[in-house]
Amino acid sequence: QSALTQPPSASGSPGQSVTISCTGTSSDVGGYNYVSWYQQHPGKAPKLMIYDVTKRPSGVPDRFSGSKSGNTASLTVSGLQAEDEADYYCSSYAGGNTIIFGGGTKLSVL
Amino acid sequence: QVQLVESGGGVVQPGRSLRLSCAASGFTFSNYGMNWVRQAPGKGLEWVAVIWSDGGNKYYADSVKGRFTVSRDNSKNTLYLQMDSLRAEDTAVYHCATRHSGGWFYFDYWGLGTLVTVSS
């Protein structure tokens, strides 16, 4: 299985909104509502930000939201803050008891 | 609080073996499915393997199937990854991670990882 496709970079100014896409196929993103998003700061472990396409774990600000249309999932960060600058990875269940990740997107807050 | 500490990484020649450990504390280890996720230097994340809380089910990524074996010792609160027939492309930081309540395919708590370098 190939990795899910994410843009290598995204950026926005403080207070703005930015959306990161994650494109897969009907065998993964399009086939299941088991998409998640992780935030990773340099030298840190990843942190779960979104699961089940749209759900936020406890403690994740509501500035983070997820959605899906067809084979493409999206993460939107509203009201950008400096601490949102990080790498973001999408992930999807891909059937056959396997999980696939995206290549990652580096979000810069200008 | 939840702590996951990986160990056992290092430099190993292609074709050789290595066993990683993940020591868990701060939660009831025996109640949680556990995963291994790796990250090659400067690259993205790749799921490696999962083991159910009782060790009854184990699943692997195609890239490691037949070469890696995941196991656990609930009496020692420790997760393992036996890696055989190592290849250069297995070079990565290996993280252990607990499953999330939403599903085994979501990763909740993570360790900082241990670096495995496969090189001659």
Side-chain angles (χ1 to χ4, degrees):
Chain A
Q1 288 152 330
S2 300
L4 304 174
T5 300
Q6 296 182 236
S9 63
S11 63
S13 299
Q16 288 187 331
S17 293
V18 64
T19 296
I20 299 171
S21 62
C22 169
T23 302
T25 69
S26 58
S27 297
D28 38 66
V29 173
Y32 306 93
N33 287 322
Y34 297 143
V35 175
S36 56
W37 291 89
Y38 297 87
Q39 176 193 65
Q40 186 178 32
H41 288 107
K44 303 290 188 180
K47 175 184 177 182
L48 180 65
M49 304 300 284
I50 296 287
Y51 70 100
D52 283 356
V53 180
T54 61
K55 297 177 181 177
R56 279 187 310 276
S58 174
V60 172
D62 60 6
R63 302 185 294 103
F64 292 85
S65 62
S67 63
K68 191 185 85 167
S69 178
N71 296 337
T72 298
S74 299
L75 172 72
T76 298
V77 186
S78 304
L80 269 175
Q81 299 182 3
E83 58 262 35
D84 299 333
E85 185 162 295
D87 293 328
Y88 290 84
Y89 295 92
C90 62
S91 176
S92 175
Y93 181 69
N97 295 303
T98 61
I99 302 161
I100 190 170
F101 279 96
T105 297
K106 183 177 183 61
L107 175 61
S108 299
V109 180
L110 305 173
Chain B
Q1 72 278 22
V2 173
Q3 267 204 311
L4 297 169
V5 180
E6 303 89 342
S7 62
V11 180
V12 61
Q13 293 178 329
R16 303 297 290 265
S17 299
L18 206 59
R19 189 176 85 154
L20 306 183
S21 299
C22 168
S25 61
F27 65 106
T28 306
F29 180 72
S30 58
N31 287 350
Y32 284 80
M34 296 292 297
N35 287 271
W36 286 98
V37 179
R38 68 185 180 184
Q39 187 167 26
K43 302 294 185 181
L45 301 169
E46 180 185 14
W47 173 75
V48 173
V50 62
I51 183 168
W52 257 228
S53 58
D54 62 357
N57 286 313
K58 307 173 187 181
Y59 302 109
Y60 301 90
D62 287 345
S63 58
V64 307
K65 199 174 297 182
R67 300 187 299 122
F68 289 13
T69 303
V70 61
S71 62
R72 63 192 297 158
D73 186 336
N74 286 343
S75 68
K76 295 182 178 179
N77 291 343
T78 302
L79 173 72
Y80 302 101
L81 184 67
Q82 177 67 39
M83 304 185 296
D84 299 323
S85 302
L86 281 162
R87 305 167 181 169
E89 54 264 36
D90 295 320
T91 294
V93 172
Y94 285 74
H95 300 272
C96 59
T98 68
R99 63 157 283 169
H100 183 263
S101 58
W104 72 263
F105 29 78
Y106 302 133
F107 315 117
D108 202 352
Y109 295 98
W110 297 62
L112 287 177
T114 185
L115 176 62
V116 173
T117 303
V118 183
S119 174
S120 54

